[in-house]
Amino acid sequence: MPCTLRTFGLWLLLILTVSLVAANTSLSEPVNTKAVLSCPPITQKAVLVTIRWEIILRDKPSCTRAYRRDTNETRAINCSDETISWDSRPDRNPALQIDRVAITHDGYYRCEVVTHHGHFYHGYHLKVLVPPDVTLFQLENGTIVCRAAAGKPAAQISWTPGGDCHTVEEPLGNDTVTVQSSCRWEDHRVSNVSCSVSHLTGNTSLSIERNSG
């Protein structure tokens, strides 16, 4: 009996080890690009049973795209976004593609691969990046303004040379943020100033001749 219980315990531990292999990845993709999300790899000896993508987006019902090998059939449940689809034939490559990444694609994507060896998962926390629209201009009172409009996430603004600056952030309704920094310089010898905008999609630097009059 003790030997039987020990054998059963080892068998159960092996089943739990091979049947639930999961991983999660944080992924950032720029807006208006193509994103490809891969499923967990399986060995050539593994016999594929099903593949299932679960897509959870904000304020939308969960979407499921599935493939069944024995019938060679695919199906989609609650999937209304036509830009999200199989990257290729799922029996050859079960990756998911987003043909044109948009802000609304922020969310969680999980691939489940079922083989005779167990269940394998890989999830993606997708964060969509939006580059800000950067402008630099001078007001009539001499204040110079650097604006990084509608970026996601919020951009960071710095000045060369440094001055008396005030920076504000304005959250917009679509998860983007406009950052505006206004500066003045008491030193009249400062004739040219630059603002540098740092963002995950890339950095921008603009310069302007200061009109002290």
Side-chain angles (χ1 to χ4, degrees):
M1 180 66 70
C3 182
T4 303
L5 290 176
R6 181 182 179 186
T7 302
F8 176 77
L10 291 174
W11 176 83
L12 181 60
L13 178 61
L14 178 61
I15 291 296
L16 290 175
T17 301
V18 301
S19 64
L20 291 174
V21 179
N24 284 290
T25 301
S26 295
L27 183 64
S28 297
E29 291 289 341
V31 71
N32 296 329
T33 61
K34 178 180 176 179
V36 177
L37 312 181
S38 299
C39 287
I42 59 175
T43 64
Q44 292 183 349
K45 295 182 179 179
V47 179
L48 178 65
V49 179
T50 61
I51 298 168
R52 186 170 71 97
W53 276 98
E54 183 181 15
I55 304 167
I56 303 174
L57 304 179
R58 185 186 304 175
D59 300 327
K60 290 184 178 181
S62 175
C63 157
T64 299
R65 292 188 178 274
Y67 168 74
R68 183 170 172 174
R69 182 178 180 274
D70 60 348
T71 58
N72 195 32
E73 291 179 340
T74 60
R75 64 172 182 167
I77 303 174
N78 291 330
C79 300
S80 58
D81 191 334
E82 296 182 356
T83 64
I84 303 177
S85 62
W86 299 100
D87 185 46
S88 179
R89 285 179 46 180
D91 58 328
R92 296 181 178 178
N93 178 14
L96 192 74
Q97 73 164 0
I98 306 173
D99 190 49
R100 189 178 177 87
V101 175
I103 294 179
T104 54
H105 291 139
D106 262 351
Y108 182 67
Y109 301 72
R110 188 181 75 160
C111 178
E112 175 193 17
V113 177
V114 179
T115 73
H116 287 174
H117 293 165
H119 294 227
F120 303 87
Y121 302 89
H122 195 108
Y124 297 88
H125 295 279
L126 179 63
K127 180 180 181 180
V128 179
L129 307 177
V130 180
D133 181 21
V134 180
T135 54
L136 179 65
F137 54 93
Q138 184 169 355
L139 302 178
E140 292 183 358
N141 63 3
T143 300
I144 295 181
V145 178
C146 183
R147 178 182 295 156
K152 183 176 178 293
Q156 294 182 327
I157 298 177
S158 60
W159 291 88
T160 303
D164 181 13
C165 302
H166 177 63
T167 302
V168 295
E169 294 186 2
E170 179 189 359
L172 305 178
N174 57 356
D175 289 338
T176 62
V177 180
T178 293
V179 182
Q180 180 169 296
S181 182
S182 305
C183 286
R184 296 183 63 88
W185 289 263
E186 298 299 332
D187 189 347
H188 294 285
R189 293 174 297 179
V190 176
S191 60
N192 185 283
V193 297
S194 300
C195 85
S196 298
V197 177
S198 301
H199 194 261
L200 292 178
T201 58
N203 302 327
T204 303
S205 182
L206 297 178
S207 298
I208 190 171
E209 289 291 335
R210 180 168 171 252
N211 182 4
S212 59

